[in-house]
């Protein structure tokens, strides 16, 4: 029984859960923390495991929106009634916005894995995220769910594809780009995390083969369960906190954080 190892994985799960929703890059923080604790994860399985927990937590928070969008989409396809068109189009834009990141993940999976070993890449990416957050800190868009376009969906989707690079926050990239194309903060947040759901499901599917390649799976069961549980719980509360931060327009504080951590990494690690 390696209690220290269990605690390390519990902490890793908490790091994933806290940083997944907020715009500071969960993948980048996992790289940093693993480096500091002397842990090395081969492949993408561990990140996908904890990301799956985050997916469940976010799905719970947005369960009503998800149910409404699915129901309205099916009803519009069957009846073509105007009352369901807005939700249908929003769902269609989520599909369109998912395509760039899905293609990038399938075509560049091995290259993405190589980035996970570079602290330097993470530090530069965090600084880039910080700059982007600073630039949009005062934006107050007007577009609501029913005002989006194919162009908006593609631009946000491209931003999500770029966020496959560790240190570039996925939520940050999608929220920033959503606000940059004129979405209201509430719509930007909702669209960002509706995009997160299919790309996360796709990541889970792509990582199935990695499960068979994990050494000592039996001995790692408890650490993985702890990491999963920690990520699930902390993601839920972190997402609730982000909603409150967005409502108050305080994204600039995340920019300060990205600047501080990015500069610290450049000079210390």
């Amino acid at each position: 029984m390696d209690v220290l190892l269990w605690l390390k994985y519990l902490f890793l799960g908490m790091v994933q859960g806290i940083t997944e929703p907020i715009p500071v890059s969960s993948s980048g923080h996992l790289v940093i923390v693993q480096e500091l604790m002397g842990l090395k994860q081969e492949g993408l399985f561990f990140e996908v495991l904890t990301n799956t927990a985050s997916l469940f937590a976010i799905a719970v928070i947005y369960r009503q929106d998800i149910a409404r969008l699915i129901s309205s989409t099916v009803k519009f396809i069957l009846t073509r009634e105007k009352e369901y068109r807005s939700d249908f189009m929003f769902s269609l834009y989520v599909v369109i916005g998912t395509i760039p990141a899905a293609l990038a993940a399938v075509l560049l999976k091995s290259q993405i894995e190589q980035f996970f070993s570079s602290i330097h890449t993470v530090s530069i990416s965090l600084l880039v995220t910080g700059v982007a957050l600073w630039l949009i800190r005062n934006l107050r868009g007007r577009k609501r769910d029913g005002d989006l376009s194919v162009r908006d969906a593609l631009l946000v989707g491209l931003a999500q594809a770029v966020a496959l690079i560790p240190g570039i926050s996925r939520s940050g990239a999608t929220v920033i780009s959503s606000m940059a194309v004129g979405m209201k903060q509430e719509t930007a947040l909702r669209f960002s995390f509706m995009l997160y759901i299919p790309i996360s499901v796709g990541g889970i599917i792509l990582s199935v083969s990695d499960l068979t390649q994990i050494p000592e799976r039996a001995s790692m069961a408890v650490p993985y369960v702890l990491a999963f549980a920690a990520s699930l719980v902390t993601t839920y509360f972190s997402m609730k906190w982000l909603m409150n931060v967005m409502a108050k327009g305080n994204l600039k504080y995340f920019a300060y954080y990205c600047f501080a951590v990015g500069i610290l990494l450049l000079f210390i690690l």
Side-chain angles (χ1 to χ4, degrees), residues 9 12 34 39-47 220 224:
Y9 274 80
L12 280 178
Q34 289 180 64
L39 291 176
K40 180 65 175 178
Q41 302 292 334
E42 297 297 334
L44 295 174
F45 174 76
F46 178 78
E47 183 174 354
M220 292 300 293
Y224 284 151

Side-chain angles (χ1 to χ4, degrees), residues 1 16 19 27 58 70 86-87 95 110 113 116 124 146 170 186-187 214 217 231 238 251 258:
M1 180 184 298
Q16 159 66 24
T19 58
S27 61
I58 289 170
I70 293 174
S86 178
D87 283 340
V95 173
S110 59
E113 289 182 7
F116 285 162
I124 296 298
R170 193 216 64 84
E186 181 182 352
T187 297
I214 301 172
R217 291 194 296 275
S231 181
S238 182
L251 283 175
C258 289

